[in-house]
């Protein structure tokens, strides 16, 4: 029988609810090795986007965990977090403006945080103090007729279970985001998704979320653990790509100060 999941450090959580919903501008990027420093400098300077910007983060691809696509793997994912709306200046700079030749934007999209399934510690300062962890990025395609039901499963089961794991420090954060609009897509990009899930995990020996989530889900939903809940999800979705990544810049500490605080 799986062990119960209990808080270890007593830290408060920040959970994004519908009234707090964040807007995220995500860029999927293929950058030459020498171009990362330029991307990093821009992310550090996130305050230029004004008071609605809560920060940016840049992740570098390290390895593929699961892959169901023949499309080439990109080098970086950049996330820019905003409250309420993405300013036109940000879209102009990050999407419309021509990028340097060594930085190729493959896809730019607006993401919305999934209610109750975007959870992080209230004192979030990034993952630099846990070098054994890598950033898990799941790129998920949910069938259009199932989007509402999928969101409710994330809200009622997966999000609350993930909150238990974040509070117990089993995982760093759990951030579920859904595509609201694709602003640009390179015609040569032969892969699609409408959800991105971000989570910091210990990649060594990682074999999916089953073992970690099972006990937490049994506390949230006594009539079913991991297998029961995820079987429902798997009927609605495919995962064309799942990767492990290194955090290059995590200038997103402000995310821990928004949303609904939980003990």
């Amino acid at each position: 029988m799986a062990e119960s999941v209990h808080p270890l450090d007593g830290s408060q959580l920040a959970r994004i609810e519908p009234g707090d919903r964040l807007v995220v501008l995500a860029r999927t990027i293929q950058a030459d090795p020498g171009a990362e420093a330029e991307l990093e400098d821009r992310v550090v300077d996130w305050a230029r986007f004004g008071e609605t910007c809560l920060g940016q983060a840049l992740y570098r691809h390290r390895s593929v965990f699961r892959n169901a696509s023949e499309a080439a793997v990109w080098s970086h994912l950049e996330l820019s977090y905003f409250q309420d709306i993405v300013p036109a200046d940000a879209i102009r700079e990050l999407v419309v403006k021509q990028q340097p030749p060594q930085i190729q934007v493959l896809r730019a999209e607006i993401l919305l945080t999934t209610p109750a399934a975007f959870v992080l510690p209230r004192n979030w300062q990034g993952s630099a103090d846990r070098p054994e962890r890598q950033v898990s990025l799941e790129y998920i395609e949910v069938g259009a007729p199932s989007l509402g039901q999928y969101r409710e499963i994330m809200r009622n089961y997966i999000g609350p279970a993930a909150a238990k794991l974040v509070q117990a420090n089993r995982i760093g954060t759990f951030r579920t985001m859904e595509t609201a609009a694709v602003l640009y897509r390179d015609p040569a990009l032969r892969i699609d998704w409408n959800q991105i899930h971000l989570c910091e995990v210990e990649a060594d020996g990682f074999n999916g979320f089953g073992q970690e989530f099972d006990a937490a889900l049994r506390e949230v939903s006594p009539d079913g653990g991991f297998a029961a809940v995820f079987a429902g999800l798997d009927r609605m979705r495919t995962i064309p790509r799942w990767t492990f990544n290194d955090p290059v810049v995590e200038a997103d500490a402000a995310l821990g100060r928004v949303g609904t605080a939980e003990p």
Side-chain angles (χ1 to χ4, degrees):
M1 181 179 295
E3 295 180 359
S4 296
V5 177
H6 299 291
L8 298 180
D9 59 5
S11 62
Q12 281 195 325
L13 303 180
R15 185 178 67 181
I16 303 300
E17 291 288 4
D20 311 309
R21 216 171 185 193
L22 302 182
V23 185
V24 187
L25 176 55
R27 298 199 305 170
T28 302
I29 297 169
Q30 179 58 45
D32 293 346
E36 183 177 275
E38 183 173 353
L39 289 171
E40 184 175 355
D41 288 343
R42 293 186 191 178
V43 169
V44 171
D45 188 29
W46 58 269
R48 71 190 184 281
F49 291 130
E51 61 182 12
T52 65
C53 186
L54 296 171
Q56 291 182 284
L58 179 68
Y59 304 100
R60 179 199 311 116
H61 170 76
R62 174 179 280 200
S63 63
V64 172
F65 177 62
R66 292 179 186 167
N67 197 15
S69 173
E70 296 180 356
V73 181
W74 44 86
S75 65
H76 294 80
L77 176 72
E78 179 190 86
L79 300 176
S80 305
Y81 296 93
F82 297 89
Q83 287 187 302
D84 300 324
I85 192 171
V86 179
D89 287 348
I91 294 176
R92 188 177 302 112
E93 177 181 327
L94 298 176
V95 182
V96 178
K97 182 179 177 181
Q98 185 173 358
Q99 301 298 307
Q102 65 272 25
I103 298 174
Q104 181 184 7
V105 177
L106 301 177
R107 174 171 163 139
E109 63 194 296
I110 300 294
L111 301 165
L112 298 177
T113 54
T114 302
F118 191 101
V119 184
L120 66 164
R122 204 96 180 130
N123 60 352
W124 171 248
Q125 296 293 325
S127 52
D129 62 334
R130 296 295 300 268
E132 75 280 8
R133 285 181 175 171
Q134 294 177 32
V135 178
S136 161
L137 290 171
E138 293 179 80
Y139 298 86
I140 298 170
E141 177 72 13
V142 177
S146 301
L147 283 169
Q149 186 180 1
Y150 186 86
R151 185 180 298 121
E152 286 306 302
I153 292 175
M154 298 303 298
R155 175 180 175 82
N156 294 326
Y157 299 102
I158 305 299
K164 292 179 177 293
L165 297 176
V166 172
Q167 192 167 39
N169 203 22
R170 300 279 189 88
I171 57 178
T173 71
F174 188 79
R175 295 180 246 183
T176 300
M177 298 165 281
E178 52 196 61
T179 303
V182 177
L183 303 179
Y184 172 76
R185 179 179 174 183
D186 190 304
L189 185 63
R190 304 298 183 186
I191 183 173
D192 203 8
W193 60 83
N194 56 20
Q195 318 276 323
I196 296 178
H197 293 185
L198 185 158
C199 180
E200 297 82 9
V201 301
E202 295 186 21
D204 187 20
F206 182 79
N207 193 31
F209 288 117
Q211 183 176 358
E212 292 289 355
F213 265 87
D214 189 59
L217 282 168
R218 289 183 187 278
E219 293 184 21
V220 171
S221 175
D223 58 343
F226 177 87
V229 174
F230 274 75
L233 290 178
D234 289 341
R235 287 192 292 268
M236 306 175 191
R237 68 179 188 176
T238 60
I239 305 177
R241 183 157 293 161
W242 188 344
T243 64
F244 289 138
N245 302 262
D246 294 318
V248 180
V249 179
E250 293 175 296
D252 55 5
L255 297 178
R257 299 190 291 272
V258 300
T260 301
E262 294 187 342

